[in-house]
Every structure is written in C-alpha cells, then in structure tokens.
Amino acid sequence: MSTQVEHRSEAVVFKRKADWDGIRLEHFRFRAGVLPEHAHKEHLVLVPLSEPCGGEIRTANGFRVQAQSRESACVIPSGHPFTASLKGEAEHVALYLDPSLVLRAAEEAHAPLGFEVIEKCSQSDPVINHVGLALLAELDSEGLSGR
C-alpha cells in the first residue's frame, strides 16, 4: 500500500490517498465550492462521511443527486464526466476501481454477459459503506493487512 497526503483545488481542504492492486482510496475534506467537470479512468464509488452532505453531483448525461447521508453510496462509471457543488464543509471517501478488476470480479461471480456499471446512488448501502470505512481504517493504520 502506498499513501500520500495532498492539498489542491480551492474546494479541497484535505486529501489523503492510498492504493492497492486495482483499488485506489482517497479521503477528502471539502469546503463550500464547485468541483469542475471531470472524469476518471476508474469506476468511482463515493461514500459520504459527514452528515448531512449538502450539495449536488451532476453528470453530463443528466444524472443528478442531492444531499446524501452517511449511509449512502454513489457510483459513477469510468469515463463519465461529472461536476459537484458543495453547500458547506463535507468529508468523503472515494473508492476508484480499475474497470479490469470489476470485469474480473464479474466473470468470477458468473455475471451475465454484457453487464455494465451504471450511475446510481443509494440512500443506504451498508456493504459499500462498511468497505469504504474499512479501507479508510487501513489508510489510518498505514498497514498492509487490508489486501
């Protein structure tokens, strides 16, 4: 596992990150502001850590979600451009999943051919929330036991 602390962009107050094989974790603290439209090469899973998370995520194709709770999770597929506006301070864990890792997992789980990752936000997803918090704890411990 490699770790790094970073500060950039006016809306980003704090950023830490770590990566494992095919998974990258970033822990963010934001202030009110706008994150300009951008896209990632990986699938993105966002887990809010602050309550409530005031703001909005919008994708280029019209998907829109507002004011998520701590138990929620949002997925944005790789290559999908999106922007975010924050109404106040917010804290998030972002999981970036390499598409080849997701494909390999789907094949091993015998998922139907032609499956796709879609934009989706769930008000409550305890499994994704638990995984995000466990990886954050791993980042905090700076250990390698989370493989």
Side-chain angles (χ1 to χ4, degrees):
M1 173 181 82
S2 66
T3 62
Q4 184 177 6
V5 175
E6 227 178 82
H7 303 275
R8 64 170 210 214
S9 174
E10 291 180 23
V12 177
V13 174
F14 175 79
K15 176 180 174 183
R16 301 184 300 159
K17 61 184 178 178
D19 58 284
W20 298 266
D21 298 327
I23 301 172
R24 182 165 46 103
L25 173 90
E26 293 185 352
H27 174 212
F28 292 99
R29 284 192 191 122
F30 297 100
R31 66 174 55 94
V34 174
L35 296 176
E37 186 172 279
H38 61 289
H40 297 282
K41 64 181 180 177
E42 306 98 338
H43 301 302
L44 172 61
V45 180
L46 289 169
V47 177
L49 298 176
S50 52
E51 184 80 47
C53 177
E56 177 180 74
I57 298 172
R58 284 178 282 139
T59 65
N61 68 357
F63 178 78
R64 188 173 169 189
V65 65
Q66 298 178 329
Q68 296 294 296
S69 69
R70 286 189 75 170
E71 294 82 30
S72 65
C74 285
V75 175
I76 299 180
S78 65
H80 285 227
F82 70 97
T83 185
S85 62
L86 299 141
K87 294 183 179 179
E89 290 202 8
E91 189 172 359
H92 286 79
V93 168
L95 301 171
Y96 300 88
L97 305 175
D98 186 298
S100 65
L101 174 71
V102 174
L103 180 60
R104 201 167 47 248
E107 288 171 352
E108 289 175 10
H110 305 290
L113 292 177
F115 86 96
E116 65 179 311
V117 175
I118 60 169
E119 298 164 335
K120 174 92 173 150
C121 284
S122 172
Q123 289 298 321
S124 178
D125 195 318
V127 173
I128 289 178
N129 194 279
H130 180 75
V131 168
L133 293 176
L135 289 173
L136 181 59
E138 188 68 21
L139 174 62
D140 289 340
S141 75
E142 296 185 9
L144 295 174
S145 63
R147 286 185 176 254

